[in-house]
Amino acid sequence: MTRRNMLAGNWKMNKTISEAINLAVRLKYACNSVDDRDVVLCPPYTSLKPVAETVDESPIEVGAQNMHYERSGAFTGEVSPDMIKDAGADWVILGHSERRQYFDENEELLARKLRTASDEDLKVFYCIGETEEQRDAGQVEDILKTQLEAALSGFGFDDFEELVIAYEPVWAIGTGNTATPEQANEAHGVIRDVISNLFNPGVAEKIRVIYGGSVKPHNVQELMAQPDIDGALVGGASLSADDFADIVKYDLEDEISLSDL
Ligand code: PEP
């Protein structure tokens, strides 16, 4: 089965509104002719609407980096799924390791967020991945299994508007230490096995599993050449229009130069 590639940029806590619009304009222009893969930009909440308006009428979609599991109420500082959709975003990143690490998000909380995202028809990137210590201790399979099973048990794959799994080894995020293509592909194979048991073998075949962790223009091609890698979730390199456009178009002849803009 051929799965459509997905290239998503997680801008994290970067870019003011004007900077975000500028980046989105450049990417809209640079990715204009790309129609055989999906591109999603995930700016901070404040830039969701301006970025969604900027890429409107282009194939680029927009996602939030987090959301609350309740629909409204006394949750100071939080943002609901309705607000995200109202801003023009279709996607949400859940379970990013920075949320797990700095904001104590665990599978129980993430299961609630996944339930709300599924009820509210938001498309989900669900991020999982082991730490360096866990890899060194030979626990990669156990960790991936736990992170998938504890959060996704009780769901059917069809409950989701779309569910993409992002394998993001914590030791590779923002460090410049990319997993080797073989390491990443092996982990993606584990993820498909768990998904096969959790849902069914057909879902394991069709679900997109993307890799995140120091993906750059110079290493994207060899990662994407692996059979079980269906795209990338990109942090640092998604903040540069040139770099992210190169990543999106990793195997295409580039006729468009951003310096024309
Ligand atoms: C991320 O935070 O999702 C990520 C993959 O970051 P980076 O590309 O900077 O490693």
Side-chain angles (χ1 to χ4, degrees), residues 31-86:
C31 301
N32 188 25
S33 57
V34 173
D35 59 5
D36 63 343
R37 62 204 67 186
D38 294 330
V39 180
V40 180
L41 307 180
C42 302
Y45 288 137
T46 47
S47 293
L48 280 178
K49 191 173 168 70
V51 167
E53 284 173 351
T54 303
V55 298
D56 193 29
E57 291 179 24
S58 89
I60 298 178
E61 292 182 285
V62 176
Q65 300 170 19
N66 182 31
M67 62 161 218
H68 198 267
Y69 53 80
E70 291 290 354
R71 285 156 185 80
S72 64
F75 299 101
T76 302
E78 292 292 328
V79 169
S80 76
D82 251 2
M83 295 169 186
I84 289 169
K85 289 193 294 183
D86 187 46

Side-chain angles (χ1 to χ4, degrees), residues 91-194:
W91 289 86
V92 63
I93 300 174
L94 296 178
H96 192 280
S97 64
E98 286 152 17
R99 301 289 321 167
R100 294 177 189 261
Q101 191 180 343
Y102 304 131
F103 302 96
D104 292 331
E105 295 204 1
N106 57 24
E107 275 73 34
E108 196 188 331
L109 176 87
L110 291 167
R112 296 182 76 172
K113 292 190 176 194
L114 283 158
R115 175 62 61 199
T116 307
S118 119
D119 289 348
E120 297 295 325
D121 297 332
L122 271 168
K123 303 176 188 178
V124 175
F125 296 106
Y126 178 54
C127 303
I128 58 173
E130 80 286 356
T131 63
E132 190 166 20
E133 295 72 43
Q134 290 163 339
R135 174 163 282 266
D136 290 346
Q139 296 169 344
V140 176
E141 275 195 50
D142 288 347
I143 295 296
L144 298 180
K145 195 165 184 274
T146 303
Q147 290 177 336
L148 287 167
E149 288 181 352
L152 289 172
S153 292
F155 286 97
F157 184 63
D158 292 339
D159 291 342
F160 292 98
E161 186 69 18
E162 261 203 61
L163 175 65
V164 171
I165 307 295
Y167 170 59
E168 298 211 305
V170 180
W171 49 271
I173 294 182
T175 59
N177 299 327
T178 320
T180 65
E182 294 74 23
Q183 279 174 326
N185 196 59
E186 195 182 335
H188 286 216
V190 170
I191 291 167
R192 279 191 213 286
D193 287 345
V194 179

Side-chain angles (χ1 to χ4, degrees), residues 10 12 96 98 168 172-174 212-215 233-236:
N10 173 13
K12 309 193 185 188
H96 192 280
E98 286 152 17
E168 298 211 305
I173 294 182
S214 299
V215 175
L233 180 55
V234 185

